[in-house]
Amino acid sequence: MNAASNDKAKCSRHGDSDCDKAAAREVIKAHDSEIDRRRQGNGDGDRARDGTYGLPLNSNAIGSIPDVADYEKLRAKVVSREDELSFDARYRSRASDMERRVDEIIRNVRKEDEVLFSGQVPRKGYHGQLHPRFAGDHFLSNVDLIDETGLFKIASMMPKGAHLHNHFNACLPPHVLLDIAKGMDRMFITSNLPLICKGEGEDKFENFDKCEIQFSIMSPDKEDAGDLFSPRYQSRQTMKFSEFLNRFPTYYTRADVGTDGKTKADKWLLHKLLFQEEEAYDHLQTASG
């Protein structure tokens, strides 16, 4: 019988608990080995947050923890080990006084932001259910408060390079993006549905409501010309954005965008570009739409 089979036999005789303990001991040994290696190379540079090191854990103690206090001590040692092995352990231990001060300020600001959220009137959810406000809620559920938070004010003053990642079209108001797009000669617009009206009634503008609009800058050889306002339009065929703007008011006559032909397309596109809370988090919403 090989070692793996022997281990399985022991598990079947003594239950999963003994196997879990053995596995935990192996993990602890691996942690201790890595911690020892780091200490030898860096002195006390990898000290954990509480200033302690993960000391070797007596394997006999795992199965005989007499009370809660002893359990907490053992748990603290395990957490300390994990802390020393975390990706930011070196940076925390080597942080300058200024960096530590900044970290303290930001932590305090976040606490103040928590108070800001908890002090708000609960928002109404599905069937009128009341939901207390909290900082970790969905973005669109909190967008009315985010501008008021201290953390947002700090982020707004940071240099661009300090942000981890931000798409260009997430940084600017949509009307600014549309104005930029209007000035681009090679800007094209596409849809997955033809923008045509269907008879009369509430479903007349169904395609306008359900379509997925995309913008693309294309070279002439990439064009796949199509008429978005034709029943024969094929999904993702391209139309010059300038042509779309000129023709849109003729085909979309719903009153929700007003009567000014020059702004109809803008208002409709802004509505398509901005997600509403109900659209993103509705109880019928799925990952696919």
Side-chain angles (χ1 to χ4, degrees), residues 101-120 133-136 148-152 154:
R101 175 59 179 152
V102 170
D103 181 65
E104 181 183 0
I105 291 173
I106 291 178
R107 289 178 185 275
N108 289 333
V109 167
R110 292 183 65 179
K111 290 179 181 177
E112 293 173 0
D113 289 344
E114 292 285 352
V115 174
L116 168 68
F117 278 92
S118 63
Q120 302 297 315
R133 308 298 295 272
F134 67 102
E148 301 178 27
T149 63
L151 191 61
F152 181 81
I154 292 174

Side-chain angles (χ1 to χ4, degrees), residues 209 252-258 267-268 271:
D209 294 335
Y252 191 82
T253 56
R254 188 188 269 170
D256 62 339
V257 293
K267 290 182 178 179
W268 182 79
H271 176 74

Side-chain angles (χ1 to χ4, degrees), residues 178-197:
L178 285 178
D179 287 343
I180 293 173
K182 291 175 185 177
M184 295 181 172
D185 181 60
R186 301 301 304 173
M187 179 63 72
F188 290 82
I189 186 171
T190 70
S191 171
N192 63 328
L193 297 172
L195 300 185
I196 57 175
C197 295

